[in-house]
Amino acid sequence: MTASTQCCSSGAEIGAADADIDPTKFDSIMSDSRLFEVRIITGAAGTILRAESESGAAGKAEELIRRAHHRGSDIALTVSGRDVQAVHRIELHLASTIHEVERA
């Protein structure tokens, strides 16, 4: 089972149609159970980050969030992975990062 949730900097959930990204194009990648995937949408651009470790996924995503915020972009993200608890920890970390950069 793959865990996947979506959130954005305003705290509202988004759907794939809202982000103009076809999630079916990337589903085959998640068949590798070692991967965590973070999809980040900033304005009109989208980035898919993949890592084998929880900390690797969180670190890559945090760096991109900080750069996107510095440019003034809105940020929406989706986290996916086989380990539901790890996905939740990544989501909490990234939500905290978004909150931190919005307050700065």
Side-chain angles (χ1 to χ4, degrees), residues 5-9 14-22 38-49 64-65 68-69 71 73-79 98:
T5 60
Q6 299 176 325
C7 69
C8 60
S9 60
I14 63 164
D18 297 329
D20 291 330
I21 292 179
D22 180 4
V38 181
R39 297 179 189 192
I40 299 178
I41 297 104
T42 57
T47 301
I48 298 175
L49 305 171
L64 184 59
I65 287 168
H69 182 355
R71 292 189 308 262
S73 300
D74 289 332
I75 302 163
L77 61 92
T78 302
V79 180
I98 291 169

Side-chain angles (χ1 to χ4, degrees), residues 23-102:
T24 59
K25 293 188 337 187
F26 308 107
D27 288 341
S28 62
I29 299 298
M30 289 311 296
S31 63
D32 184 346
S33 64
R34 297 172 297 149
L35 291 179
F36 289 97
E37 180 178 279
V38 181
R39 297 179 189 192
I40 299 178
I41 297 104
T42 57
T47 301
I48 298 175
L49 305 171
R50 293 183 187 93
E52 291 188 13
S53 71
E54 178 180 346
S55 61
K60 289 178 181 181
E62 180 178 349
E63 181 180 337
L64 184 59
I65 287 168
R66 290 183 185 284
R67 282 187 291 157
H69 182 355
H70 183 70
R71 292 189 308 262
S73 300
D74 289 332
I75 302 163
L77 61 92
T78 302
V79 180
S80 301
R82 297 283 182 190
D83 183 338
V84 176
Q85 292 177 336
V87 167
H88 185 65
R89 287 190 298 268
I90 294 169
E91 291 169 341
L92 290 174
H93 175 73
L94 297 179
S96 175
T97 300
I98 291 169
H99 180 72
E100 176 186 325
V101 296
E102 286 181 339

